[in-house]
Amino acid sequence: MSEPKKLHVALFPWLAFGHIIPFFELAKHIAQRGHNISFISTPRNIQRLPKIPSNLAPLVDLVSLHLPIVKHLPRDAEATSDLPSQKVPYLKIAYDGLQGPLLQFLKTSSPDWIICDFAQYWLPPMASNLGISLAFFSILGAWSVSFFGSSSSAMIKGEDPRSQPEDFTLVPEWIPFPSKVAFKLHEAKRIFQAEVKDSDVGVSDMFRVGSVLAGCDVIAVRSCNELEAEFLRLLGELHGKPCLPIGLLPPDDLDATCSEEDDTWLTIREWLDKQNKGSVVYVAFGSEAELSQPELNELALGLELSELPFFWVLRKQDSSVELPDGFKDRVKGRGIVWTSWVPQLRILGHESVGGFLTHCGYGSVVEALYSGLALIMLPINIIDQGLIARVFGKKKVGVEVTRDESNGSFTKESVADSLRLVMVEKEGEEYRDNAKEMRKLFADKGFHDQYLDHFVEFLQNDH
């Protein structure tokens, strides 16, 4: 019997590090199985990637494509984290300008597969014309993609029967099993506003993802059957093509973020070592979440009111948004506000940390449950974070901070109550225990490797 063919696989993520990093992890996993990789992004993003392990370096080619100059887009902005959210539509226009350079690369390098993201609505016909197989890799769970339409034509042609924000607060009729996957009203309103803004300057996200789903050969999802078998099956049925979970891509190891001797980690660890076991709330909202001044005030005052020790990573804030007067002095010794990069995996894995106040970015949730930490959930951005909060709330590994249904506002009391419930109160024991139990699934690398093996076999057999 002949050896399975060694593949050349190109990966081309959207320009956000919440997308780039999972794509890069998938690239390394495919390379580990002996296949050649072309990882495509822009020069600045390529420079910001984690170091490739020396044993994989010969198999991974980092390909830089230069973004075209676009009006309203700063010259050095190559990722969403480089921009305020209102300028991200211009980054999408620049990204669409990579069609020509990408076509040239694909013509000259002839990969067997290209694995793409949601944004490249123009890529399916390009890949088809060149005879290159196309996989769509969803960094979101199947529950999120399924929620947005019973068919890609609904996304592409705008035929979704849901025309009002209120419609998106209901579980869609095409989900045939019990589910809580739906938006809160304030989230649905923000989605409508964002879609209008995107359409004003370019192409809507719904059109983008619908086009990719319609034109790809296979849907790959960062998930597993043990987490959402019904949604994975449904997603394949909705779009009439194979839908393969690739596992949760749990972190390879803590050293991927920094060494034990890293100065930043030593400083942080020294403070954490002084705290009681399981007593500290880790607070982080990623590098892109934008809190308004009222939200920042209530969040800070809620942390203060909770009387719990906390470590708060506060990044990418508008310079006009400031912490409440006297806040740092009042929480001195009990709470740390850190404004630069931190080794998140090491912090989450420290024995003094007992819970994670999170915006519900999928990567952050995976890392928290990898460490067995219960969640206090405060979705900030639109699209997937609210749905993620519903899913993990139903699984009882965390609670959502109570908000005003119409405008999304929350109070310091609701923040403090949620924190104390999950961290210290008797009735929160269920969440703490369930999170520790879920760690068995999220941290079992051998188990997730089997999903990756199956996916790579599919790429080999179906090319």
Side-chain angles (χ1 to χ4, degrees), residues 145-349:
V145 188
S146 299
F147 182 83
F148 282 105
S150 57
S151 71
S152 50
S153 66
M155 298 175 173
I156 297 169
K157 299 174 185 173
E159 293 171 357
D160 195 318
R162 299 171 294 184
S163 59
Q164 301 297 323
E166 290 77 7
D167 298 335
F168 286 80
T169 64
L170 305 171
V171 177
E173 61 187 20
W174 54 82
I175 296 178
F177 43 82
S179 171
K180 290 193 174 179
V181 172
F183 286 109
K184 302 287 177 71
L185 182 57
H186 65 90
E187 294 166 345
K189 287 177 177 176
R190 288 181 67 186
I191 284 172
F192 268 67
Q193 290 166 1
E195 282 292 288
V196 168
K197 281 181 196 168
D198 269 356
S199 299
D200 283 347
V201 296
V203 177
S204 76
D205 283 353
M206 285 301 100
F207 182 85
R208 289 176 184 275
V209 71
S211 300
V212 172
L213 282 163
C216 69
D217 298 296
V218 60
I219 303 167
V221 185
R222 185 185 185 179
S223 193
C224 60
N225 288 320
E226 291 69 19
L227 192 64
E228 53 160 354
E230 290 178 310
F231 273 111
L232 286 161
R233 190 163 51 250
L234 174 64
L235 184 57
E237 290 169 0
L238 290 174
H239 297 285
K241 54 194 63 180
C243 176
L244 301 182
I246 63 157
L248 291 164
L249 300 178
D252 273 341
D253 56 49
L254 297 177
D255 292 329
T257 58
C258 74
S259 74
E260 274 286 359
E261 303 309 312
D262 180 270
D263 287 343
T264 299
W265 170 236
L266 289 173
T267 304
I268 294 168
R269 190 180 67 188
E270 185 180 3
W271 184 82
L272 289 172
D273 285 345
K274 294 172 184 171
Q275 312 306 315
N276 293 330
K277 185 176 179 179
S279 67
V280 176
V281 181
Y282 177 62
V283 186
F285 294 92
S287 59
E288 297 175 37
E290 294 170 338
L291 294 163
S292 66
Q293 186 65 64
E295 287 173 333
L296 191 71
N297 287 345
E298 295 303 316
L299 182 56
L301 296 173
L303 285 164
E304 182 181 347
L305 187 62
S306 75
E307 299 183 343
L308 295 166
F310 64 86
F311 189 98
W312 183 4
V313 183
L314 184 59
R315 297 178 67 191
K316 201 190 175 192
Q317 282 300 314
D318 186 316
S319 57
S320 64
V321 180
E322 297 178 350
L323 289 165
D325 286 344
F327 170 74
K328 284 189 178 179
D329 291 333
R330 295 193 299 273
V331 299
K332 194 170 183 180
R334 172 166 72 84
I336 299 278
V337 179
W338 196 278
T339 55
S340 57
W341 176 87
V342 298
Q344 179 160 293
L345 280 169
R346 288 199 176 277
I347 295 172
L348 291 170

Side-chain angles (χ1 to χ4, degrees), residues 380-395:
I380 298 293
N381 293 351
I382 57 167
I383 302 298
D384 61 310
Q385 293 174 4
L387 301 182
I388 288 169
R390 307 300 108 75
V391 167
F392 288 97
K394 187 180 179 185
K395 292 182 183 297

